Amino acid sequence: MIEINIIQRNKLNAEQTNQIRDLEKICQEYDGLKRLVFLSNEINFDQKIDCFYLLYEEDRLIAFLSLFIPLAEEAEVSAYTLPECRERGYFTLLFMKAAEELKKYKIYKILFVHEPSCTDAKRVLEAVHANYAYSEYLLTFDRAGYQKCGGALTLKLSESEDIPDVAALDSQLFGNDYGESVSIVTKSVNSPTIKAYSALLGSERIGLCNANMEGGNVSIFGVGISPAYQGKGYGREMLNRLLEQLMHESGEISLEVSSSNGIAYHLYITSGFQIKTQFDYDLLMLPV
């Protein structure tokens, strides 16, 4: 009889990270997937939460589940199982462990992230009665199409003393509670893999943008311009300034945008980004 062992951690070591990337590559090739799972707890609102779940048959990693929890009220779930080991209930075992952990922190809203091409994921989500919520596009930047533009904005890396002001703008832009924004901004500013920028018009902070360097690629997130300055070209200028900073980085430059955010989507597409894949988010509420 094969021995099954489940390990849950709030942080991965180098060996576990490599095992997950190997598993991820196999599943991507089999299912035609393009998304890389974020393997860090740095942005989670509480880094004590066990957010990584690894299932082994003997010493071989068979299945993996991760939780991305930047806000206290919801968790995003990503998971992989080796193709030849599916339909053995391994995802259910991992999700039950994760659900137990989330309930300890009173987190009941679950968003499952998957790509539409993965039919196995759709069957699993139907089985747990998750319902479609919304979609996002993963866009990648074509460096060959970059054109530097002029303008009045400057980008400044945010520092510890900037956190209160940055958090206030973050709360205004993204609708977070101020305390949640302080937590998110603090983690980003102090992270060794994240560059947190403010866009300044003179001395006034009018925009925010961030770049995560984890895993050898660059992922842009948290992009926004103060409502008082929207519709004046500052969003495009800030993005151009950010891309100028990132051009020398190796790897792929990418970002995600909601399929319902037509204004942001148009900005990114006309700034040199192209659609790489689509992510669907399915919602499940855990029983209280």
Side-chain angles (χ1 to χ4, degrees), residues 21-272:
R21 290 303 184 201
D22 289 341
L23 170 59
E24 181 180 58
K25 183 177 180 181
I26 293 171
C27 293
Q28 284 183 325
E29 292 176 352
Y30 180 84
D31 294 304
L33 307 179
K34 298 178 181 178
R35 179 175 182 264
L36 293 176
V37 178
F38 184 53
L39 298 182
S40 172
N41 70 347
E42 289 181 350
I43 306 179
N44 287 353
F45 82 96
D46 190 333
Q47 295 179 5
K48 297 190 300 294
I49 300 177
D50 287 339
C51 54
F52 302 113
Y53 298 80
L54 295 81
L55 185 148
Y56 293 85
E57 286 185 355
E58 307 296 346
D59 295 327
R60 186 187 184 199
L61 181 65
I62 300 298
F64 162 73
L65 182 146
S66 73
L67 302 173
F68 178 57
I69 326 171
L71 302 177
E73 64 268 15
E74 69 181 30
E76 294 183 11
V77 175
S78 300
Y80 287 115
T81 301
L82 284 176
E84 67 270 24
C85 300
R86 296 174 184 176
E87 300 187 8
R88 298 182 187 177
Y90 288 162
F91 170 81
T92 301
L93 289 175
L94 293 179
F95 180 62
M96 288 175 61
K97 290 280 188 182
E100 291 174 5
E101 180 75 358
L102 291 172
K103 287 182 178 181
K104 294 178 187 177
Y105 294 86
K106 302 187 184 305
I107 302 171
Y108 303 103
K109 182 179 179 181
I110 310 298
L111 287 167
F112 297 94
V113 188
H114 64 100
E115 295 178 49
S117 62
C118 186
T119 55
D120 286 347
K122 293 178 181 178
R123 285 196 294 268
V124 169
L125 294 177
E126 288 174 358
V128 300
H129 305 294
N131 296 308
Y132 172 80
Y134 62 93
S135 296
E136 289 186 345
Y137 296 125
L138 175 64
L139 308 180
T140 56
F141 180 63
D142 179 9
R143 285 177 169 84
Y146 173 74
Q147 293 184 350
K148 183 177 179 179
C149 69
L153 292 184
T154 58
L155 279 192
K156 174 185 179 294
L157 280 172
S158 300
E159 300 176 354
S160 296
E161 59 265 29
D162 301 318
I163 288 174
D165 290 340
V166 174
L169 182 53
D170 180 272
S171 178
Q172 180 187 28
L173 291 175
F174 306 114
N176 300 325
D177 176 81
Y178 176 72
E180 290 180 329
S181 288
V182 169
S183 176
I184 293 170
V185 171
T186 300
K187 290 181 174 67
S188 295
V189 168
N190 295 328
S191 169
T193 61
I194 293 174
K195 293 183 178 181
Y197 292 97
S198 293
L200 303 179
L201 182 61
S203 60
E204 185 176 359
R205 193 185 319 274
I206 71 165
L208 302 176
C209 53
N210 303 271
N212 175 31
M213 312 294 181
E214 189 262 347
N217 292 308
V218 181
S219 178
I220 296 171
F221 69 98
V223 178
I225 291 288
S226 173
Y229 291 92
Q230 291 177 6
K232 300 179 180 181
Y234 290 124
R236 183 176 301 278
E237 185 181 341
M238 180 176 69
L239 179 62
N240 189 270
R241 294 283 184 274
L242 177 61
L243 291 171
E244 182 181 4
Q245 295 290 324
L246 300 176
M247 287 287 288
H248 68 279
E249 300 288 344
S250 61
E252 184 177 80
I253 300 174
S254 67
L255 55 79
E256 296 177 20
V257 61
S258 172
S259 59
S260 63
N261 192 342
I263 293 175
Y265 175 79
H266 176 75
L267 168 63
Y268 299 140
I269 290 296
T270 57
S271 296

